[in-house]
Amino acid sequence: MHGIISLGWFYWDPSREIFRLPIVDRPLGWYGACFVLGFILGYFIILPIFKRKLLETRNLLERDIQDWPLLVKDFKVAQNSPDPWIRSLHLKLSPEAKKQLSQLQFMQEPDSSLKATLLQTLNELKGSRSRIDLETLFPQTIIPLKQLCVSLADRITWFVTVGTLVGARLGEIFFYDWPHYREHPLDMIKIWEGGLASHGGVIGILIAIFLFHRSIKKNFPEFSILTILDCL
């Protein structure tokens, strides 16, 4: 009991500054440092989450092909491959698709219908082969899953970072000190002087996630807004 009462006299008042940055002579505060650390940790946490989600998509999609002319070349040379599985890629094609392949010039992009046919053939013959197996068989054609995850993580980190900062700053401006900023509009951009509202940041994050979803929904249809929120 005595120990509990004594805690009431405990005084915690650490300095807001960690140290001052040289040259610019600006303080680095604990709040800002933890803010940045949170984004960095979040980036590395979300990478395996994105990977697990992408692995749930069994079929290859158009976004997984990084070089269509090379895929066309792979299908053309597949008929002479000693590997039965690779050779079956060409055998599985319809006569019309084979004709279209033969008519394509070197490094010419196939049309959308032929792209769909090639993807369908790959997915039908994929069988028990994993995504990693296909990346090994077609190293210059199929985008590595890790690269897709990094691309998604980079994009959402930028969206969320900007959304958080802009939202938190606008929250501070409009919710707490609008009369001051109305009289001194240039102070709105002086974020280094402090002034971030957490609830404004939450609103900014939600808007950022909505915009992020709109930017990826065509190439990543498996990521709904709810899925993205679940990943976060």
Side-chain angles (χ1 to χ4, degrees), residues 5 7 52 85-86 95 99 103 143 182 193 203-204 222:
I5 294 175
L7 288 177
R52 185 171 67 248
W85 186 86
I86 295 180
K99 181 180 178 181
Q103 291 175 344
I143 299 176
R182 183 178 56 194
E193 293 183 355
I203 296 173
E222 63 267 55

Side-chain angles (χ1 to χ4, degrees), residues 91-126:
L91 296 175
K92 184 73 174 178
L93 293 174
S94 66
E96 178 62 26
K98 292 178 181 178
K99 181 180 178 181
Q100 287 180 292
L101 274 181
S102 64
Q103 291 175 344
L104 287 175
Q105 302 297 320
F106 178 68
M107 300 306 288
Q108 181 181 351
E109 185 94 359
D111 60 25
S112 57
S113 64
L114 185 55
K115 286 181 179 180
T117 300
L118 298 181
L119 276 179
Q120 182 181 355
T121 304
L122 269 175
N123 289 322
E124 287 178 354
L125 293 175
K126 181 181 176 184

Side-chain angles (χ1 to χ4, degrees), residues 142-200:
I142 297 178
I143 299 176
L145 189 65
K146 181 179 179 180
Q147 184 177 329
L148 284 177
C149 294
V150 169
S151 175
L152 280 174
D154 286 347
R155 182 182 288 259
I156 196 171
T157 298
W158 278 111
F159 271 84
V160 171
T161 300
V162 173
T164 302
L165 292 176
V166 173
R169 186 58 175 169
L170 291 178
E172 170 71 19
I173 291 170
F174 291 109
F175 296 156
Y176 290 110
D177 208 359
W178 172 240
H180 169 78
Y181 290 109
R182 183 178 56 194
E183 297 296 327
H184 305 86
L186 290 180
D187 287 353
M188 293 182 183
I189 63 174
K190 295 180 180 179
I191 195 171
W192 56 87
E193 293 183 355
L196 297 173
S198 57
H199 42 291

Side-chain angles (χ1 to χ4, degrees), residues 42 45-46 49-50 52-53 156 160 164 201-214 216 222-232:
I45 289 172
I46 205 170
I49 297 176
F50 277 155
R52 185 171 67 248
K53 183 62 183 177
I156 196 171
V160 171
T164 302
V202 171
I203 296 173
I205 289 173
L206 293 176
I207 295 174
I209 290 174
F210 172 76
L211 295 175
F212 169 74
H213 172 255
R214 289 198 61 177
I216 68 165
E222 63 267 55
F223 284 92
S224 66
I225 291 182
L226 291 179
T227 300
I228 296 169
L229 288 172
D230 186 47
C231 290
L232 295 176

Side-chain angles (χ1 to χ4, degrees), residues 66-74 105-110:
Q66 64 181 347
D67 196 319
W68 283 100
L70 277 180
L71 182 62
V72 168
K73 179 183 176 182
D74 289 336
Q105 302 297 320
F106 178 68
M107 300 306 288
Q108 181 181 351
E109 185 94 359

